[in-house]
Amino acid sequence: MKKNSSVVVDLLLLLLAITVLTTPAFSDLVLSKVERRIDVTSQIARVTKTLKRGKRKAKRFLVVAAFTNVLQPFPEKITQRDIHLVMLQESAQYLSPYVVESQSLSIKLPNARIESYTKLENSKVQGSEIKYGPYKNLAQYSYAPIVVHFESKAAFAVAERLVREIEVSHWGNVQVTEHYNLVHRGAQLKGEFSRLEYQDRPNPQGVSAFRHLLARLPPRAHSIYYRDDIGNISTSQMQSDSKKTELLIEPRFPLFGGWKTFFTIGYGLPLSDFLFASEGKRFLDISFGSPMIDLVTEKLIVQVVLPEGSKDISVTTPFAVKQSHEIKYSHLDIAGRPVVVLEKNNVVPDHNQKIQVYYKFSNINLLSEPLMLITGFFVLFITCIIYTRADFSISKSSAAYLAKLQWDEVLATLQEVQNIIQKCLAAHDKLEASLRDLSRTGDIQTCKATRKSTDSLLKDLSKELRPLLAALQSFPSASQISPKVEELVAKEKELQEKLMARHTTVVEGYEKKSSGRDIENRIASQQQKIIALRQEVDDLLEFIDEI
Amino acid sequence: MAALERIPPLVVASFLPHSLCALVIKYESVIHEFDPYFNYRVTQFLSKNGIYEFWNWFDDRTWYPLGRVIGGTVYPGLTLTAGTIWWVLNSLNIPLSVETVCVFTAPVFSAFASWATYLLTKGSGAGLTAAALLAMVPSYISRSVAGSYDNEAVAIFALIFTFYLYIKTLNTGSLFYATLNAIAYFYMVCSWGGYTFIINLIPMHVLLCIVTGRYSPRLYIAYAPLVVLGTLLAALVPVVGFNAVLTSEHFASFLVFIIIHVVALVYYIKGILSPKMFKVAVTLVVSIGLVVCLIVVAVLVALVASSPTGGWSGRSLSLLDPTYASKYIQIIASVSEHQPPTWPSYFMDINACFSPLSDASSFVVLYIVMSVYFSGVMVRLMLVLAPAACIMSGIALSQAFDVFTASIKYQLGEMSNSKDDVKEKISTNNETKDDASSAKGEKVAKERPSKKGKKKEREPADKPSVKSKIAKKKALVLPLEASIVALLLLIMLGAFYVIHCVWAAAEAYSVPSIVLTSQSHDGLHVFDDFRESYAWLSHNTDVDDKLASWWDYGYQTTAMANRTVIVDNNTWNNTHIATVGTAMSSPEKAAWEIFNSLDVKYVLVVFGGIDLNINKFLWMVRIGGGVFPHIKEADYLRDGQYRIDSEATPTILNCLCTGTNLSCKFVETDGKGYDWVRRTEIVKKNFKLTHFEEVFTSHHWMVRIYKLKPQKNRIRGKGKKLKLKTSTGFSKTAKKNPWM
């Protein structure tokens, strides 16, 4: 089990290489002074060693290492109200193949509450710090196991797997999406979970659960989201200023020991802050690890998605990572986007250093997708235009095709008929208007003149109508329509006659100088018929219109 | 040209619903309610495993230990549609997630639906108005908002489009459209059980046409291929299968199919015979026809009588007889969607019905009459009514606008023309005045019934008068002032309608029901408890753990938590549900035994105190009692009421659901055990659970999950004896053992 192993999982930073010391040729070397400081305020044990070699011309080495999984919860299972105790196993004396003249160890604990610790000579407690040593003149491979049992309130948040996808878009955005599989690696919860008890104490002394995590995102991060498989998670807060963006996220439920959860955070970053050019190449300069504070990642996969058409890709990292290449197909890709996949196990926040991804990319590629869309739509519209304009019938002599042609002709004729009828109706309106003018001005002559002109116009129109009607009757497919059209023409004729009759009556009335009421009475019956006829004509026109 | 001019507003009209529905994503783009989660899960399966796996999918994550054959029991239309969209998008390298596609299927199809409405209504103005109305009508929005991924989302489009193609075939008599119509009908059958509405309404219309003597070859072409092809295609859908010819919902169509053939034959013979011969033939045919009809009726009666429910499935029966459900099937009655609507919900949903209607074809009239009847019986069918109402009011509104604007135009022209044409004006005024007043009266009249929901009575009464009036209106013009005022009133009504719709969409229908909110003085509070507990379940329990909850939460649990459930929203097995109901309403020990026998490890209960109430409990008791007679509703009632205060019955206090829910933890929250919904103090406090343990409670206490404790070891007294016995036995055998 990983949990119980206190082996050195990761030797992180070697400010000065100690490889020199390990070579057997220097086995007579003496370390004059070794100081060790172990910081266990969080779940990660950070060890800082200062090594001094030689007496006069002392050479100093500084070794910083971070260990994960060295703090074991003890007891392994606690109830909700218990405090969280962890155990650290170490050696009070520095384990080395060389003689150490003087060495000391101090362990920095998160608080002063210490359950127990191995008491050796020269060991003392100072507040929240335990000090061992200094021990003088230690032999090679001397070892003095110690156990420190203390309370820890730190969140033992471990990402079992974290996938960071960094997608570069040359339209001005770097999109980062991070998928977390989170687990609480502290002491497991024993017995039931009582929400009441949990809510009763807003600031519990023993933290068997943690509520939130803090992510420190780069400044000017935008479009931040926080969700999981089943939707948005509404419990997050964001604070941002010019130097950083802080995102405080709360998982859907408080994480007790052994509980797991999954979530995704995503944010966009301005491209200009992270993409630079050098020697004809571009390079992306972005941090490697998770932005979460004090998060241990067991397996980190960073996928850098470069724009389609990038070439000559190379990566520089400050530490060793496993590299591979993939292709990702995203929005409207044809060739796919090259993806650099970097994998690393046991990542701690100290790994949050910049990595550089170098690649070549020409700006013309930027336009390929818009051009593709434009071409696509253009072709679509052109096809539509051609399809509607061109005649695609296979056989020019088939019955259906001929029928269609004939039907088109019928429709054209109908259109003409309609036009003529409309003209007739317009003429009628003119006649009416002349009557109104008459009632206003009493000018009989103009009225008569109008009537004459309309008369001739109507006659012309009916002449025009005749061949059309004949043509319509000759079409077999118009057999359903032609009676209607004939009816329409007949009705129109009737209407015309009635109008004329009324016109004559009114004009006669004016000529005879009879009173308005008299004329009104005389034409009343005609008036009604005219209205009815007009209505019928309108209805028929509408019917034809619908065809 | 006219056609070209129509295109932009139509585009607007079809984009409107989409934008409206997308805009009302109030919280996030998430799937709503319960059933959509099931559809979402099915779509996920489809997109992951392909169509063949989908047809054969036996789902072992639900109805444990029975399982459910999903492929054969779902209407696949919606799932296949969304799956196809997803597949097409992904093959074009547009990486949308299945969830996104599912969320936006409904809005996209609402755009299609309003386009289909435009086609169905015909006439530019009326069609556009109807399409715009449909885009906004709240009862349709309730099913077409983003996230409402339910069958109805695509079914309403299919319904309207089928009707459009039917009308189109009727008008053109083209076999091409008839075939398309059958395919559209097939799509409808694929997507929704409501297809029976089509297959009953169209025959009814055909019958109406025949009775009114409007039989034509076009009618035959519109109907006969639909029945033949449609039935064949419908039988291809696994969930329908042979029901397409066996259940009596479809019999009406077959009967009319026979009738239309008889009528066609009669017309044919009439055509080739002289009138005299025809009379002879008629007597012959009538006599033979009667015999045939008698035989058919006899066969039908025999068929219907031989099937247990008289050939009608339960839900259809509950449609015809509104009291059927509450009498016989508790589950159907317990689904609120299946209950008769309250009259206010009519006002809420169909505000659109201000309509003097014009030349509505007989089909649309029949459509609206039938849908009004059915929606009166079942709330869910309000959906079917919505398009009908929209079409009607679309026609009416555009007609009214036509009249008013035409008269304004005319009068303005007149004004510039002449001033002293008094006589004529007087004569027109005299007539228009009463016309205007009657129009106003009508408007008042038409608003009132829509509020009361008495559309049924109004419909036939209005029509004839309206028709004659419109004929008059064409010849006459309204006075300028009146028409301007009326126009303004209409616009105001329209504006109110839009405001109402947007309000309804935003407030009532865009809440995804898995997220609740409350507004308090210090801002908006989000209650995301359901997802919180589903997330907990999915990450912190074993993949194969079984979870018992009341069936409402079944679909969500399988979709969001991916855990096996005992019962879910597909209420197909009453006994199973009754078992869970019994367990929920039993004392702790009995409940433990039932759950243990079902291999259940966790029990999810919705906490009754703060937000929801124990109304569900009532149904648990009833449904449980329906199958297991030892659960008696009377035991839980005091004075005909469920009480949990000092007068509560002992049975209710001892039972699991209320026990865990109410008594147990309330005491601890405020020390008194106070039920906030009922404002009563719960009598039984300090409840200690012995067979269950609380493993999770959500932030606002809405969902609580209990774990079944493992069986205890034998208690001391018995255990000692046993130990003694075994130890002695062991020693004896040890002695006898020759190998030692």
Side-chain angles (χ1 to χ4, degrees):
Chain A
M1 259 183 81
K2 270 179 193 164
K3 210 165 192 185
N4 300 329
S5 67
S6 57
V7 277
V8 179
V9 183
D10 182 53
L11 196 63
L12 170 71
L13 286 178
L14 294 172
L15 295 185
L16 279 170
I18 53 164
T19 43
V20 194
L21 301 175
T22 54
T23 44
F26 294 89
S27 56
D28 57 336
L29 251 173
V30 174
L31 293 175
S32 57
K33 196 178 179 191
V34 176
E35 272 175 30
R36 283 190 297 156
R37 250 181 88 82
I38 303 177
D39 185 351
V40 286
T41 45
S42 70
Q43 59 163 326
I44 303 158
R46 289 198 170 81
V47 183
T48 320
K49 299 171 199 167
T50 325
L51 310 171
K52 241 186 216 172
R53 195 192 65 166
K55 276 184 179 161
R56 294 255 169 79
K57 287 177 79 185
K59 276 193 177 167
R60 283 172 56 109
F61 299 86
L62 186 70
V63 181
V64 180
F67 296 84
T68 61
N69 294 327
V70 290
L71 296 182
Q72 292 170 26
F74 187 83
E76 282 184 2
K77 285 189 176 180
I78 55 170
T79 63
Q80 198 180 331
R81 49 188 89 76
D82 291 341
I83 56 167
H84 189 222
L85 296 169
V86 292
M87 205 163 63
L88 173 75
Q89 291 178 321
E90 247 299 327
S91 165
Q93 295 167 356
Y94 185 52
L95 182 65
S96 97
Y98 312 108
V99 175
V100 179
E101 286 179 347
S102 161
Q103 86 96 35
S104 62
L105 168 72
S106 73
I107 301 170
K108 175 99 178 77
L109 303 177
N111 52 34
R113 183 162 176 170
I114 300 162
E115 197 76 5
S116 71
Y117 67 99
T118 313
K119 291 190 178 78
L120 299 174
E121 51 169 337
N122 267 343
S123 64
K124 60 180 178 237
V125 179
Q126 280 180 343
S128 62
E129 215 169 300
I130 303 177
K131 284 195 169 153
Y132 287 96
Y135 301 107
K136 304 283 184 192
N137 296 324
L138 297 173
Q140 294 175 343
Y141 302 111
S142 56
Y143 186 72
I146 52 164
V147 176
V148 184
H149 195 199
F150 59 95
E151 186 195 358
S152 173
K153 284 180 182 173
F156 276 55
V158 175
E160 289 181 311
R161 184 187 156 90
L162 164 62
V163 181
R164 296 186 79 212
E165 192 187 77
I166 301 163
E167 186 159 358
V168 181
S169 158
H170 279 235
W171 294 99
N173 191 31
V174 178
Q175 180 67 34
V176 184
T177 316
E178 299 171 350
H179 307 276
Y180 290 89
N181 280 80
L182 208 70
V183 64
H184 184 283
R185 276 284 160 77
Q188 292 197 358
L189 178 69
K190 184 168 74 183
E192 44 179 50
F193 158 57
S194 165
R195 172 66 74 170
L196 180 77
E197 217 165 90
Y198 183 75
Q199 279 177 344
D200 250 9
R201 302 185 197 132
N203 296 307
Q205 287 99 34
V207 255
S208 43
F210 62 84
R211 271 173 217 245
H212 24 64
L213 292 163
L214 186 69
R216 222 165 251 156
L217 308 179
R220 302 213 281 150
H222 59 88
S223 336
I224 299 169
Y225 65 86
Y226 169 45
R227 56 167 295 150
D228 65 2
D229 287 340
I230 52 177
N232 178 51
I233 307 172
S234 50
T235 46
S236 63
Q237 288 167 26
M238 203 187 77
Q239 278 187 327
S240 61
D241 53 40
S242 60
K243 283 181 185 159
K244 62 181 188 306
T245 311
E246 279 191 343
L247 179 69
L248 186 74
I249 60 170
E250 208 174 306
R252 280 198 191 273
F253 41 87
L255 275 186
F256 278 90
W259 285 15
K260 294 176 181 175
T261 192
F262 169 83
F263 59 85
T264 302
I265 60 173
Y267 47 92
L269 299 170
L271 187 74
S272 53
D273 293 4
F274 296 92
L275 194 76
F276 308 97
S278 81
E279 296 161 16
K281 272 193 165 186
R282 294 156 200 265
F283 71 95
L284 179 76
D285 187 43
I286 202 159
S287 76
F288 178 73
S290 145
M292 297 276 175
I293 284 171
D294 283 340
L295 179 80
V296 171
T297 312
E298 289 184 345
K299 187 182 179 77
L300 172 68
I301 299 170
V302 178
Q303 300 169 330
V304 183
V305 183
L306 298 172
E308 197 177 13
S310 306
K311 282 171 293 193
D312 299 339
I313 300 155
S314 61
V315 184
T316 53
T317 49
F319 35 78
V321 291
K322 201 175 130 195
Q323 266 190 48
S324 56
H325 289 265
E326 279 175 12
I327 298 277
K328 184 192 173 185
Y329 291 93
S330 186
H331 296 276
L332 299 168
D333 285 349
I334 293 170
R337 306 181 182 191
V339 183
V340 181
V341 184
L342 308 172
E343 269 186 65
K344 187 162 178 60
N345 291 338
N346 275 304
V347 180
V348 288
D350 307 68
H351 280 110
N352 273 2
Q353 299 173 50
K354 301 267 177 170
I355 55 165
Q356 288 82 35
V357 183
Y358 292 87
Y359 62 97
K360 275 185 180 164
F361 181 79
S362 78
N363 278 331
I364 296 170
N365 282 331
L366 209 56
L367 293 174
S368 67
E369 273 164 19
L371 281 178
M372 200 172 79
L373 278 182
I374 290 167
T375 330
F377 278 102
F378 183 72
V379 169
L380 179 74
F381 290 136
I382 289 289
T383 332
C384 284
I385 290 169
I386 292 172
Y387 179 76
T388 47
R389 297 296 159 102
D391 186 354
F392 280 104
S393 46
I394 300 163
S395 154
K396 306 281 182 209
S397 57
S398 75
Y401 181 71
L402 290 179
K404 191 178 164 281
L405 281 188
Q406 206 177 43
W407 182 245
D408 285 345
E409 249 174 274
V410 169
L411 286 184
T413 330
L414 267 184
Q415 189 63 42
E416 274 179 59
V417 171
Q418 249 174 301
N419 284 344
I420 291 169
I421 298 282
Q422 290 294 355
K423 274 183 201 161
C424 289
L425 291 181
H428 295 171
D429 288 345
K430 213 169 162 191
L431 217 56
E432 294 275 277
S434 76
L435 272 188
R436 272 200 297 276
D437 280 345
L438 180 69
S439 73
R440 204 171 58 222
T441 58
D443 188 353
I444 298 168
Q445 290 313 313
T446 34
C447 186
K448 275 186 175 168
T450 327
R451 166 161 183 180
K452 237 177 213 165
S453 67
T454 4
D455 225 18
S456 61
L457 178 68
L458 285 174
K459 263 180 195 142
D460 287 347
L461 286 174
S462 64
K463 256 184 218 158
E464 276 179 46
L465 210 53
R466 235 170 273 143
L468 288 177
L469 279 181
L472 210 55
Q473 271 166 347
S474 68
F475 293 126
S477 55
S479 58
Q480 297 239 334
I481 309 159
S482 61
K484 285 275 179 193
V485 176
E486 270 162 40
E487 195 188 341
L488 172 69
V489 172
K491 290 274 185 225
E492 199 275 332
K493 259 262 151 63
E494 209 181 331
L495 178 63
Q496 210 172 303
E497 277 162 19
K498 287 275 185 298
L499 272 174
M500 289 298 175
R502 192 181 65 164
H503 198 268
T504 345
T505 335
V506 174
V507 171
E508 270 173 12
Y510 269 93
E511 275 176 335
K512 285 177 191 162
K513 302 248 167 31
S514 45
S515 68
R517 181 160 289 281
D518 208 24
I519 300 170
E520 195 92 339
N521 284 342
R522 239 186 284 167
I523 59 167
S525 61
Q526 289 170 335
Q527 187 76 30
Q528 269 185 3
K529 262 185 202 162
I530 287 171
I531 288 170
L533 275 173
R534 181 70 191 245
Q535 182 62 38
E536 275 176 51
V537 169
D538 278 346
D539 281 347
L540 282 170
L541 266 179
E542 219 164 82
F543 174 82
I544 290 169
D545 219 19
E546 274 171 27
I547 297 168
Chain B
M1 272 314 281
L4 276 179
E5 277 160 19
R6 259 174 244 155
I7 288 170
L10 181 62
V11 170
V12 172
S14 56
F15 272 106
L16 188 70
H18 194 172
S19 55
L20 192 70
C21 297
L23 268 179
V24 298
I25 298 176
K26 203 172 173 185
Y27 307 99
E28 53 181 295
S29 96
V30 73
I31 290 166
H32 289 194
E33 306 266 338
F34 303 103
D35 285 24
Y37 268 100
F38 170 72
N39 297 324
Y40 169 49
R41 186 162 159 259
V42 176
T43 317
Q44 269 183 321
F45 184 90
L46 174 72
S47 58
K48 208 185 277 170
N49 298 301
I51 179 86
Y52 290 106
E53 285 292 310
F54 167 68
W55 289 125
N56 296 325
W57 185 20
F58 177 80
D59 185 11
D60 56 355
R61 306 242 100 190
T62 180
W63 292 98
Y64 183 83
L66 306 171
R68 179 183 169 194
V69 187
I70 300 277
T73 54
V74 290
Y75 286 100
L78 176 76
T79 321
L80 290 180
T81 310
T84 315
I85 295 174
W86 178 83
W87 180 80
V88 168
L89 285 178
N90 270 275
S91 53
L92 286 176
N93 279 337
I94 299 174
L96 285 184
S97 67
V98 178
E99 192 192 2
T100 319
V101 173
C102 291
V103 165
F104 288 100
T105 302
V108 168
F109 269 81
S110 80
F112 289 163
S114 74
W115 169 68
T117 314
Y118 170 77
L119 290 177
L120 178 60
T121 317
K122 283 207 300 185
S124 56
L128 279 179
T129 324
L133 286 174
L134 186 80
M136 289 184 288
V137 65
S139 67
Y140 184 49
I141 274 188
S142 72
R143 295 291 164 157
S144 69
V145 284
S148 166
Y149 182 54
D150 213 346
N151 288 337
E152 290 90 334
V154 296
I156 294 301
F157 159 70
L159 180 88
I160 302 172
F161 199 61
T162 312
F163 285 154
Y164 160 68
L165 283 172
Y166 171 70
I167 297 287
K168 183 91 185 167
T169 325
L170 205 57
N171 284 340
T172 57
S174 144
L175 208 53
F176 171 68
Y177 283 113
T179 319
L180 280 189
N181 189 18
I183 290 169
Y185 171 68
F186 172 58
Y187 186 62
M188 176 73 191
V189 177
C190 276
S191 15
W192 195 32
Y195 74 91
T196 44
F197 185 72
I198 296 183
I199 206 63
N200 283 308
L201 185 69
I202 289 181
M204 239 182 260
H205 177 246
V206 171
L207 208 60
L208 188 77
C209 285
I210 291 172
V211 168
T212 51
R214 294 172 59 180
Y215 170 81
S216 68
R218 283 176 289 122
L219 186 69
Y220 182 85
I221 289 171
Y223 186 65
L226 175 69
V227 170
V228 177
L229 280 177
T231 309
L232 279 176
L233 288 171
L236 290 179
V237 183
V239 64
V240 178
F242 278 104
N243 282 350
V245 285
L246 286 181
T247 55
S248 23
E249 285 108 337
H250 305 82
F251 284 174
S253 64
F254 299 136
L255 198 66
V256 174
F257 186 66
I258 295 167
I259 291 172
I260 200 171
H261 275 92
V262 172
V263 171
L265 193 71
V266 169
Y267 271 78
Y268 176 68
I269 292 170
K270 204 177 180 181
I272 53 170
L273 290 183
S274 61
K276 231 183 194 178
M277 287 289 283
F278 181 68
K279 265 188 183 168
V280 180
V282 162
T283 46
L284 197 74
V285 168
V286 161
S287 50
I288 293 171
L290 267 180
V291 172
V292 171
C293 281
L294 276 179
I295 291 169
V296 168
V297 166
V299 168
L300 284 187
V301 166
L303 267 177
V304 169
S306 65
S307 67
T309 55
W312 290 75
S313 58
R315 275 186 194 172
S316 314
L317 271 183
S318 70
L319 272 183
L320 294 180
D321 173 10
T323 57
Y324 175 85
S326 51
K327 266 191 256 167
Y328 300 108
I329 314 172
Q330 302 284 6
I331 291 173
I332 291 184
S334 80
V335 182
S336 61
E337 275 182 345
H338 296 162
Q339 283 177 355
T342 47
W343 289 122
S345 84
Y346 263 118
F347 177 55
M348 178 82 181
D349 283 5
I350 316 275
N351 205 355
C353 289
F354 34 86
S355 53
L357 49 103
S358 65
D359 56 342
S361 67
S362 57
F363 180 75
V364 176
V365 172
L366 195 69
Y367 177 23
I368 195 161
V369 170
M370 292 317 292
S371 54
V372 164
Y373 170 70
F374 281 119
S375 72
V377 179
M378 200 194 250
V379 171
R380 190 143 61 143
L381 290 177
M382 186 87 89
L383 269 176
V384 175
L385 170 63
C390 285
I391 292 168
M392 295 307 242
S393 37
I395 293 169
L397 267 181
S398 77
Q399 204 72 51
F401 267 106
D402 276 356
V403 170
F404 293 137
T405 48
S407 62
I408 288 175
K409 217 191 221 167
Y410 181 79
Q411 301 241 337
L412 287 177
E414 189 98 313
M415 282 235 280
S416 61
N417 258 351
S418 64
K419 282 173 191 169
D420 51 36
D421 193 4
V422 196
K423 285 167 213 160
E424 265 181 285
K425 245 192 181 172
I426 285 172
S427 67
T428 44
N429 265 1
N430 278 342
E431 279 174 81
T432 44
K433 248 181 203 164
D434 58 21
D435 192 87
S437 63
S438 70
K440 265 191 189 159
E442 182 192 280
K443 200 177 283 167
V444 175
K446 89 211 155 187
E447 267 180 46
R448 231 180 281 131
S450 81
K451 278 179 194 170
K452 288 178 187 166
K454 286 181 187 167
K455 266 167 259 119
K456 233 188 291 178
E457 292 97 304
R458 186 171 55 94
E459 225 52 70
D462 266 11
K463 240 180 306 137
S465 65
V466 166
K467 264 209 164 164
S468 61
K469 211 163 281 163
I470 278 162
K472 254 195 247 165
K473 269 180 191 164
K474 275 201 167 166
L476 301 167
V477 281
L478 298 169
L480 185 63
E481 298 79 17
S483 52
I484 288 177
V485 168
L487 206 58
L488 283 178
L489 275 176
L490 266 185
I491 291 170
M492 260 173 63
L493 267 177
F496 278 131
Y497 171 70
V498 171
I499 290 168
H500 169 80
C501 288
V502 171
W503 174 82
E507 292 300 317
Y509 295 124
S510 69
V511 184
S513 92
I514 49 165
V515 185
L516 305 169
T517 51
S518 76
Q519 197 81 44
S520 71
H521 54 91
D522 54 340
L524 192 75
H525 283 268
V526 179
F527 297 88
D528 203 0
D529 285 34
F530 284 100
R531 285 195 298 188
E532 182 185 340
S533 21
Y534 293 137
W536 185 84
L537 276 173
S538 85
H539 295 298
N540 296 298
T541 57
D542 192 69
V543 177
D544 290 325
D545 283 344
K546 280 88 193 171
L547 177 89
S549 65
W550 192 231
W551 58 262
D552 299 40
Y553 309 102
Y555 278 167
Q556 289 186 348
T557 311
T558 42
M560 285 199 263
N562 193 23
R563 290 294 171 268
T564 310
V565 293
I566 304 298
V567 290
D568 69 21
N569 307 40
N570 178 267
T571 50
W572 66 274
N573 190 324
N574 197 18
T575 319
H576 223 50
I577 291 176
T579 312
V580 175
T582 311
M584 292 281 191
S585 45
S586 302
E588 207 191 328
K589 180 140 203 308
W592 186 90
E593 272 159 14
I594 294 172
F595 281 140
N596 195 45
S597 71
L598 285 169
D599 204 10
V600 166
K601 206 163 172 197
Y602 295 93
V603 181
L604 182 147
V605 286
V606 171
F607 192 32
I610 291 171
D611 199 63
L612 300 166
N613 50 37
I614 60 163
N615 279 347
K616 294 247 157 72
F617 181 68
L618 179 148
W619 290 108
M620 294 182 195
V621 173
R622 279 194 193 157
I623 293 172
V627 176
F628 302 103
H630 71 272
I631 302 286
K632 291 187 193 74
E633 198 176 349
D635 290 347
Y636 298 86
L637 299 173
R638 166 87 25 119
D639 311 328
Q641 276 184 310
Y642 281 85
R643 315 252 331 226
I644 44 169
D645 53 4
S646 51
E647 283 179 44
T649 59
T651 328
I652 200 167
L653 289 179
N654 283 328
C655 76
L656 176 75
C657 187
T658 42
T660 52
N661 258 345
L662 298 169
S663 317
C664 162
K665 296 292 173 183
F666 250 117
V667 192
E668 297 162 24
T669 37
D670 55 5
K672 269 199 299 195
Y674 196 77
D675 183 348
W676 289 103
V677 179
R678 281 174 197 75
R679 311 240 163 255
T680 53
E681 206 168 312
I682 295 155
V683 72
K684 194 166 177 178
K685 302 167 189 171
N686 297 322
F687 199 91
K688 268 275 175 193
L689 290 168
T690 48
H691 298 277
F692 295 86
E693 64 175 353
E694 179 189 3
V695 285
F696 188 76
T697 302
S698 61
H699 187 240
H700 301 97
W701 294 74
M702 276 157 61
V703 183
R704 317 194 69 184
I705 299 167
Y706 292 87
K707 190 179 178 181
L708 270 74
K709 277 187 187 167
Q711 243 163 342
K712 267 192 184 153
N713 289 331
R714 285 301 184 90
I715 30 171
R716 224 177 301 137
K718 277 184 180 175
K720 259 187 184 171
K721 267 183 200 168
L722 206 73
K723 231 183 191 176
L724 214 72
K725 257 188 193 171
T726 49
S727 62
T728 50
F730 184 74
S731 57
K732 264 180 195 171
T733 47
K735 263 180 199 169
K736 277 182 185 175
N737 195 341
W739 300 104
M740 286 190 67

